[in-house]
Amino acid sequence: MMELLHTPEGVRDVYGAECRDKLVLENRLRECMHRHGYLDIETPSFEYFDIFSRERGTVPSKDMYKFFDREGNTLVLRPDMTPSIARFVSKYYRDEKDPIRLCYCGQTFINNESYQGRLKETTQLGAELMNDASVEADASMIVLLIDCLQSAGIEDFQIEIGNADFFKGLMEDCSFSEEEEEQLRVLMKTKNLYGASELLSHKSLKEEDRELLLRIPELFGSFETIGEIRSLTKNSRSLKALDRLSELYAILKKDGYDRYVSLDFGMLSKYRYYTGIIFRAITYGSGEAVASGGRYDNLVAQFGMDAPAIGMSITVDSLMMATTRQGIAKDMNNEPTQEYITVALAKGRLADKAMEILTKAGYSCEEMKDKSTRKLIFTNEEKKMRFFLAKANDVPTYVEYGAADIGIVGKDTILEEGRKLYEVIDFNMGKCRMCVAGPKEAKELLGSGKIIRVATKYPAIAKDYFRNVKHQSVEIIKLNGSIELAPIVGLSEVIVDIVETGSTLRENGLEVLEEVAPLSARMVVNQVSMKMEQERIRKLIGDIRKVLEA
């Protein structure tokens, strides 16, 4: 019997009608870029590791596929096109003074964690404009992206725009360590107002700086907020960033593109080489951005050529998914219909309590009161909302990929799953703690440098805590049953688990040794849904907050 040959995890074969459709889409995008004056280039699929080193501000080393050539040089499959093109331009266009317009289509490779549902090899198609530092160049790149999306047949989309220098300027006025700044960046990107408030509460800051930082997670939408924000900071770098955003919007509005763009001060790219305007495109049918880009005026100089630059990249695989799903969503008469807001609830007591709060806020669902029903999806036609119950661990996954717009689930699950979400409400119910626990004598082992064994139902949380907070090497043992047994029978020195009252620990001769994180029920929102259904979701959030504050 012939052995079946499977592709490795994260890569796939594309064939038949899907391959045809993908090539058609790529050709449409290329033709659009050619109309805007961009010329094709190709760069190698693998390069020297130094091209993508940490100093360049690209993806972390652990996310790259690395190997060696015959001479022992470290090579990587390119995880990002921009550093390759910056290297290319500095080599072949070093003496060019006029604007350089280049476009490309190629594969990128990122070694994501397993079971995340993401491809490790994706097709990126994009454009780079060098030797032009003007705001008009910023506008032209965003217009190019709008034209590309329209060429793909998409009309209902938004280009979110921010400025990397705005946040960098604010950080100049605050005495944050590198670790604290990174924590704040993560909280801002996920719009976690509660986490940001907790972090800032331990810092000595000017009141106006604290106020502005706490407002960033909710500063998205209309460009009219720029005037209001200008009065809250005196930092020259941040003020210049605001001026640039105002100038950019004026150009886009003059040319009739203002209906496609919105502002987001909390948008912080994972690529640290961005120096100014940053943006990303979102649309229905894809749980994350289908395109992104920004200005990177210092990157090319790292390869020996002083050249300001701006670029954008479309993830073809995500764009194909969006076009396919949007085609299915249209009714037989091609009439636009109002989208449902879909809410995923963690099964059990949390779902019951959450629905009580939703009902008080005016978002009830009578169908869910029938405990004998076998239905999986429950609908409130008046509010155009759908609800479904799922295992807690699955809720963040449904939300990240856009199968649900909103999820209500415990903070422990959010931390363990590590999904890309906006965390917008703390319900302050089901409050407890994630802790390191064990026998009293195990306290001296924590932070001692000794390798210890840690038993837990939450390996991701435990790994992150001991690696990034304790800086201690540990052996993590995944268990599913009574975690308290592990140190009692000698399987581990300590455990990482949820602690509510601590009575079970005390009855078994154990105690809390350290607190990892406070826990409670939270509302999370899909990043695309937050912007595409901004008005409805913001109203829902506001209505729930009124109930919680009553």
Side-chain angles (χ1 to χ4, degrees):
M1 182 177 179
M2 183 178 294
E3 181 183 1
L4 291 175
L5 299 177
H6 296 282
T7 60
E9 181 190 354
V11 297
R12 66 193 187 100
D13 299 311
V14 182
Y15 61 96
E18 183 184 7
C19 186
R20 178 201 63 205
D21 293 343
K22 184 177 181 182
L23 292 173
V24 169
L25 178 59
E26 289 174 6
N27 287 334
R28 286 180 180 176
L29 297 174
R30 277 185 183 276
E31 289 171 3
C32 183
M33 292 181 180
H34 294 163
R35 290 197 301 271
H36 283 254
Y38 286 79
L39 302 177
D40 292 301
I41 65 163
E42 289 185 2
T43 59
S45 296
F46 61 89
E47 303 223 28
Y48 290 118
F49 170 71
D50 288 347
I51 300 298
F52 305 98
S53 65
R54 185 174 185 272
E55 291 71 24
R56 310 285 185 219
T58 185
V59 303
S61 174
K62 65 181 179 64
D63 292 340
M64 300 183 200
Y65 285 97
K66 295 183 281 287
F67 54 101
F68 301 98
D69 63 12
R70 289 178 180 272
E71 288 72 41
N73 298 304
T74 304
L75 308 176
V76 297
L77 292 175
R78 61 183 178 213
D80 175 19
M81 299 292 292
T82 302
S84 290
I85 293 173
R87 187 265 314 154
F88 170 90
V89 168
S90 67
K91 180 177 181 180
Y92 296 104
Y93 289 83
R94 187 175 296 270
D95 299 322
E96 183 63 60
K97 302 301 179 186
D98 293 331
I100 304 166
R101 292 178 173 83
L102 302 171
C103 63
Y104 61 84
C105 182
Q107 309 304 105
T108 57
F109 307 86
I110 297 183
N111 192 15
N112 297 313
E113 292 185 18
S114 299
Y115 310 118
Q116 290 289 312
R118 297 190 185 95
L119 290 172
K120 297 177 184 289
E121 178 187 18
T122 58
T123 303
Q124 288 194 357
L125 193 150
E128 312 290 341
L129 172 55
M130 314 281 189
N131 279 344
D132 193 338
S134 69
V135 68
E136 287 79 13
D138 298 344
S140 72
M141 188 59 65
I142 291 171
V143 169
L144 172 60
L145 177 53
I146 291 171
D147 286 354
C148 283
L149 293 176
Q150 290 176 331
S151 296
I154 292 180
E155 286 295 337
D156 200 354
F157 61 87
Q158 277 287 298
I159 311 294
E160 297 181 297
I161 303 175
N163 193 314
D165 267 356
F166 177 75
F167 184 77
K168 291 177 181 178
L170 296 182
M171 291 298 96
E172 292 175 349
D173 292 340
C174 304
S175 55
F176 284 101
S177 66
E178 184 176 339
E179 182 179 348
E180 289 172 331
E181 182 177 335
E182 182 57 33
Q183 288 177 349
L184 187 60
R185 287 176 65 89
V186 172
L187 294 168
M188 294 300 173
K189 286 195 292 185
T190 57
K191 303 202 179 299
N192 188 339
L193 178 62
Y194 308 95
S197 179
E198 174 67 18
L199 177 62
L200 296 178
S201 68
H202 302 296
K203 299 295 296 181
S204 176
L205 299 172
K206 295 178 182 178
E207 192 54 39
E208 57 266 29
D209 291 336
R210 188 189 310 276
E211 179 186 350
L212 180 51
L213 287 171
L214 287 176
R215 292 193 62 185
I216 285 178
E218 296 184 331
L219 288 176
F220 62 92
S222 172
F223 274 79
E224 294 175 0
T225 58
I226 291 179
E228 179 186 352
I229 299 306
R230 191 185 302 278
S231 64
L232 297 178
T233 181
K234 295 182 176 65
N235 181 273
S236 59
R237 187 174 186 178
S238 296
L239 289 172
K240 286 181 180 177
L242 294 176
D243 290 339
R244 186 78 167 203
L245 285 167
S246 295
E247 294 171 21
L248 174 61
Y249 181 66
I251 295 172
L252 293 171
K253 185 175 182 180
K254 178 184 175 183
D255 295 336
Y257 292 103
D258 53 306
R259 68 189 180 96
Y260 293 112
V261 299
S262 60
L263 186 66
D264 188 350
F265 284 107
M267 182 172 54
L268 301 170
S269 175
K270 65 181 179 181
Y271 297 130
R272 293 297 191 92
Y273 51 68
Y274 285 130
T275 58
I277 295 296
I278 52 177
F279 55 89
R280 63 177 191 168
I282 57 175
T283 186
Y284 293 111
S286 175
E288 54 189 2
V290 296
S292 62
R295 178 162 288 281
Y296 53 98
D297 287 343
N298 300 329
L299 181 61
V300 185
Q302 295 183 34
F303 298 99
M305 176 183 174
D306 187 12
I310 186 168
M312 68 91 169
S313 175
I314 298 169
T315 305
V316 176
D317 308 86
S318 296
L319 186 58
M320 273 196 69
M321 182 183 297
T323 56
T324 301
R325 289 181 174 176
Q326 288 186 27
I328 293 171
K330 294 176 182 177
D331 65 22
M332 295 300 291
N333 298 317
N334 290 322
E335 294 287 338
T337 58
Q338 185 180 24
E339 297 283 336
Y340 283 88
I341 297 292
T342 302
V343 181
L345 302 166
K347 289 181 178 179
R349 289 183 299 170
L350 178 55
D352 294 335
K353 291 181 179 179
M355 282 310 303
E356 288 179 17
I357 294 172
L358 286 166
T359 299
K360 290 179 181 178
Y363 301 90
S364 64
C365 184
E366 293 300 316
E367 287 186 325
M368 296 188 73
K369 296 179 180 179
D370 181 3
K371 300 300 181 181
S372 64
T373 183
R374 304 296 293 271
K375 292 184 68 172
L376 298 175
I377 303 290
F378 307 94
T379 306
N380 180 329
E381 289 294 345
E382 179 188 355
K383 296 290 186 179
K384 289 296 179 184
M385 293 184 68
R386 297 187 301 187
F387 303 84
F388 68 88
L389 301 173
K391 285 190 175 181
N393 289 355
D394 294 336
V395 170
T397 305
Y398 281 115
V399 176
E400 182 186 31
Y401 289 103
D405 303 288
I406 294 169
I408 299 177
V409 69
K411 178 66 174 179
D412 55 309
T413 305
I414 296 170
L415 290 172
E416 181 64 21
E417 293 301 309
R419 298 290 180 174
K420 294 179 180 178
L421 309 164
Y422 289 149
E423 187 177 323
V424 297
I425 291 181
D426 184 347
F427 283 93
N428 279 315
M429 61 186 188
K431 297 183 74 170
C432 50
R433 300 173 293 161
M434 183 69 69
C435 297
V436 180
K440 184 177 181 179
E441 57 270 21
K443 177 74 173 178
E444 63 185 36
L445 296 174
L446 301 179
S448 66
K450 296 180 180 179
I451 296 180
I452 61 175
R453 287 177 294 179
V454 180
T456 184
K457 295 177 184 177
Y458 305 93
I461 294 176
K463 178 181 178 181
D464 177 73
Y465 182 72
F466 280 97
R467 172 181 289 181
N468 298 318
V469 178
K470 301 295 294 181
H471 307 294
Q472 183 174 2
S473 296
V474 296
E475 180 184 346
I476 295 175
I477 302 172
K478 175 73 162 62
L479 292 179
N480 298 302
S482 299
I483 303 299
E484 295 85 0
L485 273 173
I488 295 173
V489 301
L491 179 63
S492 70
E493 282 73 30
V494 296
I495 62 174
V496 170
D497 201 17
I498 294 174
V499 177
E500 191 168 357
T501 64
S503 58
T504 304
L505 293 176
R506 290 190 294 271
E507 289 176 8
N508 290 281
L510 308 176
E511 62 181 55
V512 173
L513 304 176
E514 292 181 356
E515 181 175 322
V516 176
L519 306 175
S520 57
R522 309 293 170 93
M523 175 183 281
V524 293
V525 181
N526 174 267
Q527 294 185 353
V528 172
S529 301
M530 177 68 93
K531 308 303 174 59
M532 296 301 294
E533 294 290 349
Q534 180 182 148
E535 184 177 343
R536 296 170 67 194
I537 290 179
R538 272 188 154 170
K539 184 179 186 307
L540 172 63
I541 292 171
D543 291 340
I544 291 174
R545 284 179 177 168
K546 288 177 184 176
V547 172
L548 295 175
E549 293 167 1

